[in-house]
Amino acid sequence: MNTPDYKRIYTDMIRIKYPEKHAQCSDILKKDDLEFLDIIRMNTIITDRNKERMGDNQKLRSYNKITILKILDHQQKHGMNNSELARYFQLSRNTVTKWKKHFSQASCLQKTETGSTLNF
């Protein structure tokens, strides 16, 4: 499945609609390949003044497995609880809990399949 060319999309959007945000996004746009966390960061910069549209944008977000694991890793590295992580990435607390349950179960299944023992 082909992913959209986010670099081109955000470059055009900043050039046409938000030229005042170019300086804040230039470091991210210099990268060859944008990760989903980069896209989230740019989206946060751009929509900073458009808070009234944030609720609508939240409904349309989707995350791939790698991004979810990076977000959960961010939580561990910074010692955040679910509420803090949800607020930081503008997610629902229920979404964070669902991800943690899903990926902890997936890691348990993976450990049992590889022959590792589970310690409870």
Side-chain angles (χ1 to χ4, degrees), residues 48-62:
D48 182 46
R49 293 186 184 160
N50 298 324
K51 297 279 184 188
E52 65 275 359
R53 291 175 43 197
M54 277 302 257
D56 293 337
N57 288 339
Q58 285 299 106
K59 296 175 187 174
L60 303 175
R61 283 188 170 177
S62 64

Side-chain angles (χ1 to χ4, degrees), residues 33-118:
D33 295 321
L34 297 179
E35 296 179 359
F36 281 124
L37 291 177
D38 295 326
I39 295 164
I40 293 169
R41 203 172 313 130
M42 276 198 300
N43 197 38
T44 304
I45 292 169
I46 290 171
T47 58
D48 182 46
R49 293 186 184 160
N50 298 324
K51 297 279 184 188
E52 65 275 359
R53 291 175 43 197
M54 277 302 257
D56 293 337
N57 288 339
Q58 285 299 106
K59 296 175 187 174
L60 303 175
R61 283 188 170 177
S62 64
Y63 300 91
N64 64 9
K65 183 178 178 179
I66 295 168
T67 304
I68 293 170
L69 292 173
K70 285 184 180 184
I71 290 171
L72 294 176
D73 186 50
H74 181 85
Q75 180 182 26
Q76 285 183 334
K77 283 182 182 176
H78 297 311
M80 298 173 138
N81 62 33
N82 288 358
S83 296
E84 292 169 333
L85 184 72
R87 211 172 306 119
Y88 184 80
F89 284 104
Q90 299 172 352
L91 301 165
S92 160
R93 291 183 320 234
N94 293 334
T95 299
V96 174
T97 303
K98 180 180 169 185
W99 287 351
K100 288 178 80 171
K101 283 181 185 176
H102 176 75
F103 288 105
S104 69
Q105 288 174 354
S107 67
C108 288
L109 289 174
Q110 188 177 29
K111 286 179 185 176
T112 57
E113 288 173 359
T114 59
S116 300
T117 58
L118 297 175

